[in-house]
């Protein structure tokens, strides 16, 4: 069950210019939280800014029952948060939402509707299952926690693809390498200052066309996720994406945070709550808008 | 310790305390049940219901503004049949009166919805939303035209035996006039206020932020406007008032009560503190105790005394 409690910050560190890793003792058992779930709390304590802000759980320490978020300063809330110090309090609501499904992901839940009607569902090749984890910028946050869980599962080949503006914004590189020597890390920067020069989705496209991936987990800017969705549709592979929408209540009550998802009938849609049915959605269930 | 009497009576409806949830901010209760003991609430007002399921407005539906939020949800709801089959049985397990907030596009729709709801058990009252700024037809259209407001009120009254609370919009020149007309049409109580019409613009896109262009402002930013509405309506209309608009603390709630509200509804505050209703309730009780006031009802409208 989700909880609401005052907790202390145990550590806050600027790990790259404008990016912070903030650890706290959560009011819930990290062992029972899922990668992709988020916490919701206010960054200040006045009426302005008013609403809490959502942050993915980025890292957990099960022995100490600690959790951490990784965030980028983009506005007033995150700027206030960056000023907080060890032992300052946060009123945390969480863990909230539906996180990532551990592998194997089913083939697209809704069988692809081809011209000949429903296409046969293919079964997966046996093991090992080849997983691509694709992050754009601070989108690595929920995916790092996912990697903490994936690394202990048998028969997986994990490739982590991270894209960022520049080399400084490639986050958690050493931490990912430390997770497991088996994880293969591929990096890309927009300015070419490190790794592949170009969007991270181009690296994914190359892997997919070489038939090196069975399923994908992704988080990042919406444009990136849209490209991931298009690629996965092209290769008819399953994947999950973590979405962002402006939230109100964070608990499913206000219907502020909705995104379009596929409805029961062909070409129909419904509005699903990012805070409740999401933030993680099967990639083929999202209706991507232009 | 002296027992404090927090009970409230609104149009024959007995509440154990004056703290109600504001429609649309508390879902159907389920979402907040992990945080709030629903049995402690004075009443739960559920999300606006329509006769048929309603998909709601395209996102973005919410934007934060100084000390407030603008929302344009657009009455997304599963429709009255789903409510009757799934939600009402869920809520009925709690010992809390359920107020159903209802919306429609035509007078006939309000009438049909009222008739349908009145056949169900375990509904304590109807709250007629004639003030939603976020739907194209109906809503505010009824709330800003006194004649239309009266017509909707009559249509609902003629189709139900339940107490009828009419929820008014602040987006009118004289809210007292609408209140008077609605009272004459048979309303049993009034809810004041719904959200204040507003807009926000995205500098990068040079377009309105909300999918619906306009939205309704709520939160601390509208509290003085809401309080003024309660004050003025209390002076001119004798119906019981449920006050709402920016109530975040017990102090806020007490101001509304002194201005003339018999009960208060807590909306946006739930988003900031899921236990806001209970904190406010306990704060009201403490105030009464500290000031040796035995009955909450003794406080209603006291700010008007000369
Ligand atoms: C489920 C979920 C998980 C998230 N996890 C993380 C995380 O792990 N790390 C992280 O850094 N951020 C995360 N975010 C985004 C984070 O919540 C926003 O960056 C934060 O709310 C901005 O607050 P602010 O007050 O600093 O900015 P504001 O002053 O509110 O806004 C500043 C600028 O940022 C933009 N902005 C605001 N909110 C968002 C948003 N939700 N998405 C995109 N742009 C936004 C605004 O349009 C504006 O231009 C997550 C969002 C969601 C919905
Ligand atoms: C997200 C949201 C949804 C709302 N939905 C409804 C609704 O369906 N019906 C209604 O009568 N009022 C609705 N309201 C208005 C509230 O019930 C209340 O009148 C208003 O928000 C002012 O109170 P507050 O400042 O405490 O939030 C909604 C408000 C918000 C913020
Ligand atoms: S934020 Fe309220 S429903 Fe998602």
């Amino acid at each position: 069950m989700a909880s609401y409690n005052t907790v202390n910050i145990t550590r806050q560190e600027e790990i790259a210019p404008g990016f912070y890793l903030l650890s706290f003792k959560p009011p819930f058992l990290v062992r029972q939280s899922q990668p992709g779930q988020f916490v919701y709390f206010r960054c200040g304590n006045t009426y302005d800014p008013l609403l809490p802000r959502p942050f993915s759980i980025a890292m957990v320490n099960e022995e100490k029952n600690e959790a951490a978020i990784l965030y980028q300063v983009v506005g007033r809330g995150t700027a206030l948060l960056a000023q907080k110090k060890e032992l300052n309090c946060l009123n945390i609501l969480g863990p909230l939402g539906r996180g990532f499904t551990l592998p194997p992901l089913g083939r697209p839940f809704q069988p692809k509707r081809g011209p000949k009607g429903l296409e046969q569902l293919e079964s997966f090749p046996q093991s090992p299952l080849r997983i691509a984890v694709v992050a754009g910028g601070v989108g690595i946050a929920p995916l790092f926690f996912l990697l903490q869980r994936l690394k202990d599962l048998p028969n997986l080949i994990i490739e982590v693809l991270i894209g960022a503006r520049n080399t400084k914004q490639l986050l958690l590189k050493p931490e990912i390498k430390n997770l497991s020597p088996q994880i293969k890390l591929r990096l890309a920067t927009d300015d070419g200052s490190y790794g592949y020069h170009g969007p991270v989705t181009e690296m994914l496209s190359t892997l997919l066309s070489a038939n090196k991936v069975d399923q994908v987990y992704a988080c990042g800017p919406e444009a990136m996720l849209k490209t991931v969705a298009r690629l996965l549709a092209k290769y008819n592979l399953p994947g999950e994406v973590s979405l962002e929408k402006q939230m109100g209540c964070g608990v499913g009550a206000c219907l502020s945070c909705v995104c379009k998802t596929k409805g029961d009938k062909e070409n129909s849609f419904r509005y699903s709550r990012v805070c409740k049915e999401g933030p993680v959605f099967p990639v083929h269930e999202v209706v991507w808008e232009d | 310790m002296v027992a404090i009497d927090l009970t409230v009576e609104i149009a024959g409806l007995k509440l154990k305390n004056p703290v109600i949830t504001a429609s649309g901010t508390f879902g159907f209760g389920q979402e907040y049940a992990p945080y709030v003991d629903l049995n402690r609430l004075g009443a739960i007002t559920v999300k606006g219901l329509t006769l048929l399921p309603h998909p709601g407005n395209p996102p973005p539906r919410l934007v934060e503004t100084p000390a407030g939020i603008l929302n344009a949800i657009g009455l997304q709801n599963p429709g009255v049949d789903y409510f009757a089959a799934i939600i009402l049985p869920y809520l009925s397990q709690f010992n809390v009166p359920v107020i159903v907030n209802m919306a429609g596009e035509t007078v006939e729709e309000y009438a049909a919805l009222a008739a349908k709801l009145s056949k169900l058990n375990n509904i304590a009252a109807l709250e007629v939303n004639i003030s939603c700024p976020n739907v194209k037809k109906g809503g505010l259209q009824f709330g800003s035209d006194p004649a239309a407001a009266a017509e909707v009120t009559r249509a609902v009254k003629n189709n139900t035996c339940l107490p009828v609370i009419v929820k008014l919009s602040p987006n009118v020149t004289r809210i007292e006039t609408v209140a008077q007309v609605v009272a004459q049409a048979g309303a049993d109580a009034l809810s004041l206020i719904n959200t204040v019409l507003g807009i926000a613009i995205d500098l990068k896109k040079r377009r309105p932020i909300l999918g619906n262009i306009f939205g309704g402002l709520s939160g601390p930013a509208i509290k003085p406007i809401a309080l003024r509405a309660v004050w003025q309506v209390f002076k001119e209309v004798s119906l019981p008032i449920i006050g709402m608009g920016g109530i975040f603390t017990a102090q806020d709630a007490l101001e509304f009560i002194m201005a003339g509200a018999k009960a208060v509804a807590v909306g946006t505050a739930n988003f900031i503190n899921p236990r806001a209703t209970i904190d406010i309730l306990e704060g009201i009780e403490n105030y009464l105790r500290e000031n040796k006031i035995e009955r909450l009802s003794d406080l209603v409208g006291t700010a008007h005394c000369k």
Side-chain angles (χ1 to χ4, degrees):
Chain A
M1 197 200 254
S3 60
Y4 177 62
N5 264 306
T6 307
V7 305
N8 286 329
I9 294 171
T10 51
R11 200 173 143 81
Q12 160 128 286
E13 189 189 352
E14 187 169 13
I15 61 166
F19 293 84
Y20 291 78
L21 192 63
L22 181 153
S23 309
F24 55 97
K25 289 248 180 222
F28 50 85
L29 285 177
V30 296
R31 197 162 16 87
Q32 287 170 12
S33 58
Q34 298 166 14
Q37 286 190 304
F38 65 97
V39 288
Y40 198 47
F41 60 83
R42 296 184 77 208
C43 300
N45 52 12
T46 63
Y47 285 156
D48 195 28
L50 187 65
L51 290 170
R53 303 289 192 251
F55 298 97
S56 306
I57 302 172
M59 216 178 262
V60 301
N61 180 331
E62 292 189 358
E63 274 143 43
K64 293 202 229 160
N65 201 51
E66 262 190 8
I69 59 163
L70 170 65
Y71 67 93
Q72 178 175 15
V73 174
V74 297
R76 284 185 310 149
T78 43
L80 282 170
L81 190 57
Q83 288 165 16
K84 297 225 182 223
K85 306 236 147 41
E86 217 174 287
L87 297 180
N88 282 170
C89 291
L90 297 173
N91 280 309
I92 297 236
L93 199 57
L96 300 173
R98 211 196 59 124
F100 291 104
T101 317
L102 293 180
L105 295 178
R107 284 276 163 172
F109 296 156
Q110 288 177 336
K112 232 175 103 183
R113 295 182 188 88
K116 288 168 267 155
L118 297 184
E119 271 172 33
Q120 201 58 40
L121 291 185
E122 298 162 52
S123 58
F124 269 114
Q126 295 303 305
S127 55
L129 196 61
R130 297 160 307 170
I131 293 176
V133 171
V134 185
V138 75
I140 189 63
L143 296 172
F144 185 85
F145 181 18
L146 177 68
L147 288 168
Q148 285 188 306
R149 291 281 160 85
L150 290 182
K151 77 170 177 20
D152 296 328
L153 299 178
N155 290 323
L156 299 181
I157 294 178
I158 305 171
E159 300 244 18
V160 178
L161 286 57
I162 308 179
R165 264 207 203 126
N166 53 49
T167 177
K168 280 190 183 147
Q169 299 192 2
L170 283 168
L171 308 168
L172 303 183
K173 259 183 315 191
E175 287 81 357
I176 294 170
K177 284 192 187 130
N178 274 343
L179 277 179
S180 155
Q182 313 298 350
I183 293 176
K184 176 129 209 261
L185 191 55
R186 296 173 190 266
L187 303 167
T189 50
D190 295 343
D191 66 355
S193 55
Y194 195 95
Y196 180 79
H197 185 176
V200 66
T201 46
E202 285 179 8
M203 287 197 297
L204 177 66
S205 178
T206 309
L207 285 182
L208 289 169
S209 65
N211 187 22
K212 286 193 167 152
V213 175
D214 296 314
Q215 60 175 66
V216 171
Y217 297 102
C219 182
E222 188 156 322
M224 175 201 121
L225 297 181
K226 233 161 89 176
T227 308
V228 170
R230 196 171 40 72
L231 288 169
L232 290 179
K234 178 172 163 196
Y235 293 97
N236 194 26
L237 290 173
E240 287 188 332
V241 289
S242 181
L243 301 184
E244 281 187 13
K245 280 279 183 291
Q246 173 67 51
M247 290 184 179
C249 67
V251 299
C254 72
L255 307 175
S256 299
C257 62
V258 299
C259 65
K260 257 189 189 176
T261 57
K262 292 200 178 126
D264 299 329
K265 299 194 201 86
E266 198 157 349
N267 294 327
S268 72
F269 73 89
R270 74 179 99 213
Y271 286 122
S272 296
R273 297 165 295 184
V274 165
C275 72
K276 199 80 185 180
E277 285 82 42
V280 175
F281 290 91
V283 71
H284 53 275
E285 285 198 355
V286 178
V287 178
W288 302 90
E289 306 211 57
D290 302 313
Chain B
M1 248 186 341
V2 224
I4 304 273
D5 181 4
L6 287 168
T7 58
V8 175
E9 198 184 315
I10 291 172
L13 171 65
K14 280 221 165 64
L15 308 182
K16 56 183 165 287
N17 68 61
V19 181
I20 303 175
T21 62
S23 173
T25 62
F26 208 71
F28 293 106
Q30 277 138 305
E31 291 80 8
Y32 278 103
Y35 310 103
V36 178
D37 178 359
L38 302 186
N39 298 306
R40 287 188 68 189
L41 298 171
I44 290 180
T45 309
V46 297
K47 173 72 191 164
L49 266 190
T50 48
L51 210 46
L52 298 175
H54 208 288
N57 287 331
R61 288 179 172 184
L62 186 144
V63 54
E64 194 182 57
T65 54
I69 57 175
L70 268 178
N71 90 81
I73 310 298
L75 291 176
Q76 177 177 342
N77 82 90
V80 66
D81 291 337
Y82 182 90
F83 174 78
I86 311 286
I87 295 163
L88 199 52
Y90 167 81
L91 283 173
S92 302
Q93 41 167 332
F94 299 97
N95 177 25
V96 62
V98 175
I99 300 174
V100 176
N101 182 275
M102 44 183 290
E105 292 187 354
T106 61
V107 175
E108 293 72 34
E109 208 180 316
Y110 278 101
L113 184 55
K116 245 187 160 161
L117 288 167
S118 303
K119 292 204 190 81
L120 307 174
N121 293 324
N122 298 318
I123 294 179
L126 301 181
E127 182 180 66
V128 189
N129 177 3
I130 54 166
S131 44
C132 183
N134 297 326
V135 286
K136 291 217 173 53
K137 279 184 280 176
L140 190 50
Q141 188 179 310
F142 292 112
S144 52
D145 170 1
E151 205 188 339
V152 173
T153 307
R154 267 192 300 273
V156 173
K157 271 304 277 185
N158 289 340
N159 283 282
T160 189
C161 303
L162 293 168
V164 172
I165 306 162
V166 178
K167 183 162 175 179
L168 303 186
S169 168
N171 307 307
V172 294
T173 315
R174 286 191 85 244
I175 198 167
E176 316 88 279
T177 308
V178 187
Q180 270 158 348
V181 170
V182 160
Q184 275 154 18
D188 301 299
L190 300 170
S191 276
L192 315 173
I193 58 175
N194 209 316
T195 51
V196 179
L197 197 57
I199 191 170
I201 289 174
D202 183 327
L203 290 192
K204 273 191 216 137
K205 296 184 184 156
R206 302 185 191 168
R207 291 285 175 280
I209 294 179
L210 294 172
N212 185 51
I213 302 175
F214 303 111
L217 183 62
S218 65
I222 69 167
K223 191 187 106 182
I225 299 172
L227 201 55
R228 185 267 300 165
V230 170
W231 176 279
Q232 284 180 317
V233 171
F234 179 80
K235 264 189 129 95
E236 299 200 13
V237 183
S238 60
L239 292 182
I241 296 170
I242 303 173
M244 66 193 79
I247 297 181
F248 268 54
T249 63
Q251 286 90 313
D252 297 333
L254 288 161
E255 285 187 53
F256 276 80
I257 291 164
M258 292 177 195
K262 274 192 143 182
V264 293
V266 178
T268 305
N270 293 302
F271 304 170
I272 282 76
N273 168 11
R275 284 202 285 257
T277 43
I278 302 300
D279 291 350
I280 289 169
L281 173 60
E282 290 174 351
I284 292 174
E285 196 171 351
N286 286 341
Y287 176 88
L288 294 177
R289 202 180 297 288
E290 280 164 20
N291 290 278
K292 306 205 162 44
I293 302 168
E294 281 173 37
R295 277 186 309 269
L296 175 74
S297 54
D298 291 345
L299 211 57
V300 175
T302 45
H304 290 265
C305 301
K306 295 224 176 70

